[in-house]
């Protein structure tokens, strides 16, 4: 189904649906988010949402120290740093500072499709190399790859239970987009424990997330290295409609104003872990963000920064509490390592 790039997105999607019939949730979400991220920097208090690296420098610093420690225990191989969906580049900038104190100064590779965010990343990490996907990453060094709030932005498919399971599609009524039940799908593709779910139940999958995870894990298996993925999510399989839209720090209807809201879905870490394992990766977790950051020493880092600038002590503690309490259990972390690499810190 083709989407005319010369039209405003809502019109182009409506025209495509009129021509070819209802489209999958994945296609709607993919087109909406591609437009959304390509046309703005959504991060920060003035934008639509705030992420952990934008809350506190400690987040990126602790992840940098996590990487340097693993690299050190893996006997310091030549290494490249990769971030997927780096937003403003803040996490990598903070991590690079922390890694340098531990003697690690890797070249930086960003996987980012938004030109607006690429420009923001360039101001913080001028020497990075940009990629559209994992296929062009260096293939002759180990990789440490980090993805914070990246997988939640990738398109999901939804199945809905009626008499049997159906693919959920997006229809268009005049100017209104709305979800409907499409053609039935074979029962076999629904995990057997969930097949008998009540009418109205929704099951989500993210084929794009599986593909990205496999591609990175395959490289780790061949090249060495590790990946850290942090997102809000759950250990599946589970039922539920987690497709959500956020605009100006408030929830919106995900089918309204496509391309003008941030569309996300909760990440199924069990499926991501299986994808990594199927490509030869060794999986750690998932663990709660609170346990990861606690294990990496966020409390001593908060105290050290507060001692260095006492006027900021209250603000530092408030930031620490946002990462540990507000986000601490909703957000989870999954690590993947190359076979025979050491246990990553925070996942013991
Ligand atoms: N990691 C950052 C930004 C999270 S927002 C932070 O924590 O602040 C999601 C990021 O993923 C943005 O940089 C967005 O442009 C990028 N992104 C979304 N879909 C993408 C895709 N299909 N391929 C590459 N990057 C994508």
């Amino acid at each position: 189904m083709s989407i005319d790039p010369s039209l405003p997105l809502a019109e182009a999607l409506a025209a495509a649906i009129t021509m070819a019939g209802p489209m999958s949730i994945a296609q709607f979400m993919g087109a909406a988010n591609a437009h959304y991220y390509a046309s703005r920097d959504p991060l920060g208090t003035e934008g639509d949402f705030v992420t952990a690296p934008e809350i506190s420098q400690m987040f990126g610093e602790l992840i940098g120290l996590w990487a340097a420690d693993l690299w050190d225990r893996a006997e310091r191989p030549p290494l490249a740093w990769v971030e997927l969906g780096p937003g403003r580049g803040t996490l990598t900038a903070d991590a690079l500072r922390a890694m340098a104190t531990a003697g690690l100064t890797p070249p930086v590779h960003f996987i980012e499709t938004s030109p607006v965010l690429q420009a923001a990343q360039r101001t913080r990490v001028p020497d990075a190399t940009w990629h559209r996907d994992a296929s062009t990453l260096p293939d002759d060094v180990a990789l440490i790859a980090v993805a914070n709030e990246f997988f939640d932005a990738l398109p999901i498919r939804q199945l809905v239970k009626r008499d049997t399971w159906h693919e959920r599609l997006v229809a268009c009524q005049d100017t209104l987009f709305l979800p409907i039940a499409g053609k039935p799908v074979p029962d076999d593709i629904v995990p057997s424990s969930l097949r008998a779910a009540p009418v109205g139940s929704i099951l989500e999958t993210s084929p794009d997330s599986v593909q990205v995870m496999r591609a990175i894990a395959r490289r780790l298996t061949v090249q060495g290295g590790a990946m850290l993925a942090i997102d809000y999510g759950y250990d599946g399989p589970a039922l539920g409609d987690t497709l959500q839209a956020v605009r100006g720090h408030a929830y919106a209807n995900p089918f309204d104003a496509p391309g003008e809201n941030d569309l996300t879905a909760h990440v199924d870490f069990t499926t991501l872990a299986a994808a990594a394992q199927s490509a030869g990766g060794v999986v750690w977790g998932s663990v709660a963000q609170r346990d990861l950051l606690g294990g990496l020493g966020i409390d001593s880092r908060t105290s050290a920064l507060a001692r260095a600038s006492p006027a900021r002590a209250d603000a530092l503690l408030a930031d620490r509490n946002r990462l540990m309490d507000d986000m601490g259990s909703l957000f989870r972390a999954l690590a993947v390592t190359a076979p025979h690499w050491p246990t990553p810190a925070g996942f013991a």
Side-chain angles (χ1 to χ4, degrees):
M1 182 180 299
S2 64
I3 295 166
D4 184 346
S6 68
L7 292 175
L9 184 65
E11 276 178 48
L13 289 172
I17 291 171
T18 306
M19 288 288 291
M23 66 173 62
S24 71
I25 299 272
Q27 196 176 14
F28 182 84
M29 183 177 178
N33 269 355
H35 179 272
Y36 175 78
Y37 282 110
S39 55
R40 76 207 71 203
D41 171 355
L43 292 152
T45 39
E46 258 114 74
D48 289 329
F49 59 94
V50 177
T51 57
E54 302 298 331
I55 291 172
S56 169
Q57 67 184 75
M58 293 189 284
F59 188 77
E61 289 170 352
L62 291 172
I63 290 174
L65 294 174
W66 175 89
D69 164 67
L70 196 58
W71 166 74
D72 186 51
R73 287 186 289 120
E75 295 169 8
R76 302 188 165 220
L79 181 104
W81 171 268
V82 177
E83 190 179 350
L84 298 92
R88 291 179 171 170
T90 309
L91 189 162
T92 288
D94 293 336
L96 285 173
R97 251 192 349 268
M99 288 189 281
T101 66
L104 176 58
T105 54
V108 172
H109 294 264
F110 283 150
I111 296 182
E112 174 62 69
T113 42
S114 159
V116 175
L117 289 171
Q118 275 188 19
Q121 292 152 20
R122 191 168 283 117
T123 65
R124 289 173 186 77
V125 190
D127 297 331
T129 306
W130 279 266
H131 305 260
R132 292 194 60 80
D133 57 46
S135 64
T136 50
L137 290 174
D139 53 16
D140 54 353
V141 289
L143 304 175
I144 297 276
V146 174
N148 185 64
E149 292 210 47
F150 168 73
F151 285 106
D152 69 350
L154 298 189
I156 53 157
R157 237 183 119 180
Q158 288 186 330
L159 302 180
V160 59
K161 181 75 183 288
R162 291 283 180 257
D163 48 336
T164 60
W165 288 92
H166 296 246
E167 170 110 30
R168 204 171 186 224
L169 301 175
V170 182
C172 184
Q173 185 81 287
D174 299 326
T175 58
L176 209 64
F177 296 98
L178 67 170
I180 61 163
K183 291 204 178 89
V185 296
D187 253 13
D188 307 356
I189 69 171
V190 176
S192 53
S193 60
L194 302 179
R195 260 174 229 164
V199 167
S201 301
I202 287 178
L203 176 67
E204 298 179 339
T205 60
S206 178
D208 285 15
S209 299
V210 165
Q211 205 186 333
V212 172
M213 183 50 105
R214 275 212 187 107
I216 299 282
R218 205 175 298 124
R219 281 172 172 278
L220 299 181
T221 305
V222 176
Q223 298 171 221
M227 173 160 193
L228 181 64
I230 303 177
D231 239 303
Y232 54 99
Y234 57 96
D235 283 325
L239 297 169
D241 178 5
T242 75
L243 180 63
Q244 99 186 0
V246 165
R247 187 178 194 174
H249 303 268
Y251 291 113
N253 178 337
F255 299 103
D256 277 353
E260 305 305 324
N261 305 311
D262 178 46
L263 294 185
T264 60
H266 292 198
V267 169
D268 174 0
F269 285 106
T270 307
T271 300
L272 278 190
Q277 274 164 341
S278 75
V282 179
V283 167
W284 308 87
S286 70
V287 301
Q289 174 168 304
R290 176 188 296 123
D291 295 331
L292 175 69
L293 298 180
L296 298 181
I298 192 171
D299 287 328
S300 44
R301 185 82 190 123
T302 310
S303 312
L305 288 171
R307 271 197 306 279
S309 41
R312 285 180 59 218
D314 287 348
L316 284 160
L317 187 63
D319 294 344
R320 179 254 173 229
N321 291 345
R322 271 182 87 180
L323 297 178
M324 294 292 279
D325 301 336
D326 303 355
M327 304 171 74
S329 57
L330 193 59
F331 280 74
R332 303 189 66 76
L334 178 80
V336 181
T337 54
H340 314 300
W341 265 54
T343 303
F347 291 86

